[in-house]
Every structure is written in structure tokens, then in C-alpha cells.
Amino acid sequence: MNSMTPNVGKPLDRVDGVAKVTGQARYAGEYPEADLLHGSVVSSTVASGKVLRIDASEALKVPGVVAVIDHLNRPHISSYDDDYSDDDAAEGSPFRPLYNDQVLYSGQPLALVIAQNLELARYAGSLVKIEYSAQAHQTDMLAVLADSHEAPAETPKPRGDFAGQFAQAAVQVDATYLTANEHHNPMEPHASTVLYKADGKLEIHDKTQGTQNCQDYLHNVFGLAKENVRVLAAYVGGAFGSGLRPQYQLPLAVMAALQLKRSVRVTLTRQQMFTFGYRPRTQQRLRLGADASGKLQAIAHDAIGQTSRFEDFTEHLVEWSGMLYQCDNVALSYRLTPLDVYTPLDMRAPGAGSGVLALECAMDELACAAGLDPVELRRRNFADHNGNEGKPYSSKELLACYDQGAAQFGWHKRNATPRSMREGKQLVGWGMAGGVWESMQMKASAKARLDAQGKLTVSSATTDIGTGTYTVMTQIAADAAGVKLADTTFLLGDSSLPKAPLQGGSFTVSSVGSAVQQACEILRGKLLESARQAYPALAGVAVEDIRFANGYLHADAQRIALADIAAKSADGFVEVQIDAEPSAKRTPFSTATHSAVFVEVQVDEALGTIKVSRVVSAVAAGRVVNPKTARSQILGGVVWGIGMALHEHSQTDHHLGRILNHNLAEYHVPVNADVNDIEVIFVKEDDDIVNALGSKGVGEIGVVGVAAAVANAIYHATGKRIREFPITLDKLL
């Protein structure tokens, strides 16, 4: 029994595209409700200390202001005195808004003004006076590196003899790289609309990457029964990791709704989008030792990242240096420096975005020191095993990424000598880097239902943060069930749907997609059972001679509409719900996506201005379910990588402990004028081990290695090695 597979692998348009471009798609802060109240957050202006007094008297005099909630008059929350967690928590004590009088960081929410409309709430918020007892603070990681401690991360143990092998290596690199704080800044700000129902139940529209994570969080924090809390996120206007943890607008909005027994919306301002998680600043020292032929003999990667004083945020920062290349002598270390700041948060390709940047810049320095082409150096150190795990890769077409990317880019024309290529007054540089990201699969559930009209509805509580989840799940479901794409609907973004993991880590297609595929295959089996009972002529037809396609069961000369089979079944429909988990055949293998990124820059010799004129990104990510949405993911990642290399930097005034450029005018991101030709190549990679779909995910890999390739191209153009990111004019001149 099989189904035709005409949809998976095709570059289909987004099924939610029309709703988005015509404004029909509603986001968390857009749901209308009669008598809806609006909340505005009043933020701390000091980085450390105590609140002595909050005077809301002037704010409460404003007509239309309903309440001002702070730590003294908030509703009683018993769990604020207990430990609670959410799916993406860091080790430590999670932040509790309006918990007590302690100020932990600048921008901390200290009060919530609730009024009849947003403008009134914001105005009244400006009238709230807060008196502090300020204490000394520290927000500069580099000033207190000595205060760092070992990160509670699963850092691989040392292997071999790094010190001995590095000391006798014919070619050595010892370099330190600095990366900056970056804030997520998705287009849609964080918002929560809490609809208070007559029976006391809450229906919540939240900006999140995991509706069930938010539901669990509210259950844990407020003691609310899960069946009384429904969290929805039908559309999410970008997130990149900022929606993995419930952000503080959610508990504040729920507090207000419970206290007032009214529906409440809290939306953060763009400035307040800089008052929670971010990609943390790092200092990373790379020591690479190689023999005269360029074969790696020793690798050490020592990293320090910043964290808050109340949680130890960890990411996969150094592991990549132990797995991307073949090397028997590896030493990895990762430390954290606590500061008076909010806890960092996973941000697109968390850890790899920063860690691979340092590794791939160091590899470029090693290529120069060894007199080798950067691509050739990487070829000579290709690893078919993950050295950290001692396991072979289920598939790894990285050599093909080098080949196809270099050919498309024209890498063979590169003159290796720095400052040797130019166009008029522009110095031209060509650089490249490799990329890697782990291919994970999580447990997930899905429900599939075919009704008497032949309509297939498949559901799972995952989200779509703009990645194309609606579309690829529809493609997978239609093919697996043998139903037309136009007759298939995928439901997501609702905590009441079958369980799904947070959307992140490039594991949505492998996890939820596998569940969707399995549910639809089992649905097909149930349809066949029903058909054999309703149509006796099918009794003698072998299973292998039956196929499902375009809404019909085909058997020999017979063609039976699936709608008719469903209509004749006992319930008038056929339904299946299943739980999927990673296959045991993954266990002996390491699974990862890989890429090779080639970049051309033009640097003005007199002014030092940098233009990224061309990028070719070759990606091996297993089976690509939708090349159109997948290409968009890589394009977005490349643009982000350009931003990481040249633009993005959340700048802190350490005297005040406050972020200076907390807006989109001064927090620089690449704009249209910064982005030129980007070519994406999906390298063919067959993998029947990683999951039944053979898909490895593309959400994260697009950004990995891009910033390093830009930096390496800048060195090739100018002969100047910049090791502090972003690479701005002042550093280059």
C-alpha cells in the first residue's frame, strides 16, 4: 500500500501567504474584544538596588486608568515562593516580574498601569514615580573576567594530549575573538492578549514559540488548572528564539486579568524588547596546531560568555570545535561571567552562531599560516565521525558543499595574496567558512482526520514563526494520506492540540513532520480497513497493489473516493492520533546539517566602507521538503550573518548599566542596500537514518559560518585581521 508523493520536494507557495499579505492573519496584540483593558509596563531606570517607594497617585487620577499593579499590591502567587520552570529555563532562579523590591537589571518591569486604552496606559505610566536605593552594578563582562565560573553545560571532556601536540605543531594559531550582545528584534513585538471568560477560564493569544510551554508555565506559576488555560499563537511575526521562554508581558497580563476579572492586553514597546533575552557577549580563545601539510594536531577552544546573576545561561558554544574537523587532541572549556543584566536567551543557531564564527576565523588564520587554500585546509581535515561522540555521521555531504559552492562562486580564480584583487578604488576580498548544526528530533504528537467531504485536517500544537510550518506540514500530510493539497488543512498554534515541542533548533520538520507523516500513514491503514468492509471486491486485492492518490483509493481497475470510505465508516469520519519519537536506528549515529559559505566583499581603500557584494551558501540538510520556504530560511540566515559580521551590537552604557541603542534606528541591522546577490544551493543528501522524512532542518544552519566568511573576506581584501565583532569602520581604519 503506498501513496503518490507529488508535493514533498516541490517549491510550493505558502498556504498562509494570502492571509498574511491581505491582513487577515491576526497576531497576539491584534485580537479584538469588547471592553478590553490595556497594560503598559513601567521599567526600572537603575541596574541594581532596591525599590523604596512607588507613587502611582498621579497616574491613578487620570480618567480611564483602572489600576496600577506593583510588587506590593499584586495578586498572591504562591509559586513565587517555590521553584518553577519552563521548557527553556536556564539553571538558577527564573525571573519573577513584580516579585519583590529587588532591582536586578536596568529595564526590569516594576509596575503595570492598566487603562481603557493603550495611549492612556502609556501616558499614565510616565506619571508613576519610583524612588530607589541604587547599588553598585557591573554590566561589562571584560572588566570582571576573573569572576567567571565554569558553565553548567555538557562540555565534552578533553581527548588526547592537547598541550603536548600543540607545543610541537609545525603551524600554530593562538587568537582571541570577541562577539557582541545581539537582541532578537522580530518585527512583531511581544504581546499577550488575555481574554477573561465568564467561567473564569483564560483564553490567551501570546507571542510565543510554544503554546504548551506557556500553558505549563502559567499552571506552575499561578496554580491554574491546565484545562482552564488555553494559549493560542496562530501567527507569529518572527521570533528567532525570543519566544522560547514566556516573556514577562505574559504573567503581567495574567496577573491583571485575574485581579480585575477583565480581559487585558499587554504589549511591549520596541525599547522594552531590549529588556529580556539576547545572544550573549563572548570572548573566545582558539589555539590550533597543525603539521606542515595542514593536518590538525591540536584544537583548544576556551570560551567565556555573560549571564545574569540569577541564572546561568548556557548554549552549545565550544562543542563545534570538537566535531567539525578530524582531530585527536582536543580541549574545550566554557565559563560564565555573572552580571547585573537579564539572562541571555537562545538566538538563531544558539552557540553555533558565535562558536563557529571563532573556529572558522581561526581556521582561516591557520590556512594563511600554513600557506594553504582555505578550502583545501578544510578538505584535509574532513571528519566522517563526530569526535565528541565517537560516532559516524548518518550522512555528511560537506565535501560536496565545498565543491558546489566553490564552483558556483568561481573560487578557483582567487588570488591568495591579501590586497591583490581590486575593482577601481575598491579592494576585493574572497572568504569562506564551513557551518554545522545538530539535526535533532523530539517527541511530538499529531492528529489526522478525514471527513465525509474528503477533507483532511491534521493538527499539532507546534507554531509557525514565519518558517513555513503551515505549508510543509500540509505538503507532508497530503502526500502521506494520498489527499489533494487543496483538500488538506494543518492546524497549529493552540495548546489544546496534540503535544508538540517548542519551535526551534531546526527540529520542527523532523519532529512534528514525522508525527504528521505517521498519523496520515496510519489513517490510510484505517481507511483501507473501512474500505475492505464496505467494498467486498477489495477483499482479494494485495496491499502492495493498492495506492492512495489525489483523494482516491486505487486498486486494480477500481477507484474509490476516500470521502465515500469515510462517509461509510461508523462515525462518518476516520480519525487517528499518534505519538512519534526518534527511531532507535539513530542511536549509533551522529546527525548534523553542514554548509559551506563563500563571500565576496568590497572595501573602499580610502574610507574603509565594507560592502558584501556576493554570497554563495551551499547547504547539505537531507531532504528538503519545500525548496522555496527552505531557500527563504537560508536567505534570512545569510542576511543575519552579514548583520552579525558588520552591524548588530546592543551597546551598553556601563556607567548606567543600560542599553543605549534600544530602538531600530540605532540598533543597526542590514537593510536592502546592504544585501546584494545571495545564491543558495541545496546539496543532494540522502539520509534514511535521521528520520523517516530524511529531513534535517534548515532554520539554524543558514546563519552559521556567514559572519566568519565575511571577516575572512575582509582580511583577504585588506590584509587586516579584525577579531572583534561587529567589524565596523573604526576597527578597520
Side-chain angles (χ1 to χ4, degrees), residues 417-615:
T417 307
R419 299 183 75 93
S420 62
M421 297 168 65
R422 62 172 63 232
E423 286 181 20
K425 295 178 181 177
Q426 304 292 319
L427 297 169
V428 175
W430 288 5
M432 64 82 57
V436 59
W437 181 258
E438 56 195 330
S439 296
M440 297 173 283
Q441 183 180 347
M442 307 294 178
K443 290 181 180 179
S445 305
K447 182 189 286 186
R449 175 174 175 147
L450 190 86
D451 66 21
Q453 285 71 48
K455 303 293 185 187
L456 174 67
T457 303
V458 185
S459 58
S460 183
T462 185
T463 55
D464 187 339
I465 61 174
T467 50
T469 307
Y470 275 113
T471 309
V472 296
M473 296 304 162
T474 305
Q475 290 174 263
I476 292 166
D479 283 3
V483 175
K484 289 179 183 175
L485 197 75
D487 291 332
T488 305
T489 301
F490 184 67
L491 303 177
L492 55 69
D494 183 339
S495 62
S496 68
L497 297 176
K499 192 165 179 62
L502 291 161
Q503 178 165 54
S506 289
F507 51 67
T508 299
V509 171
S510 62
S511 307
V512 180
S514 294
V516 166
Q517 184 184 47
Q518 287 178 34
C520 291
E521 287 171 350
I522 294 168
L523 180 77
R524 243 175 35 217
K526 287 189 75 170
L527 284 165
L528 179 57
E529 282 177 34
S530 296
R532 285 196 192 279
Q533 292 170 7
Y535 301 91
L538 288 175
V541 182
V543 168
E544 56 267 24
D545 294 329
I546 292 172
R547 63 190 179 90
F548 289 72
N550 297 320
Y552 290 91
L553 183 156
H554 301 262
D556 294 339
Q558 296 183 75
R559 191 180 80 148
I560 305 167
L562 299 183
D564 294 343
I565 299 171
K568 290 181 179 179
S569 62
D571 298 314
F573 62 86
V574 179
E575 184 174 88
V576 168
Q577 181 167 336
I578 63 100
D579 302 320
E581 57 184 50
S583 164
K585 69 180 182 179
R586 282 176 58 109
T587 308
F589 295 94
S590 190
T591 55
T593 54
H594 291 88
S595 66
V597 186
F598 296 82
V599 167
E600 176 183 273
V601 299
Q602 295 181 2
V603 183
D604 189 286
E605 196 168 15
L607 301 176
T609 52
I610 304 163
K611 174 184 173 185
V612 177
S613 43
R614 279 196 305 140
V615 180

Side-chain angles (χ1 to χ4, degrees), residues 4-12 472-480 485 517 623-627 693:
M4 296 180 70
T5 55
N7 295 302
V8 169
K10 284 188 177 175
L12 300 180
V472 296
M473 296 304 162
T474 305
Q475 290 174 263
I476 292 166
D479 283 3
L485 197 75
Q517 184 184 47
R623 187 185 193 191
V624 177
V625 176
N626 185 325
L693 286 163

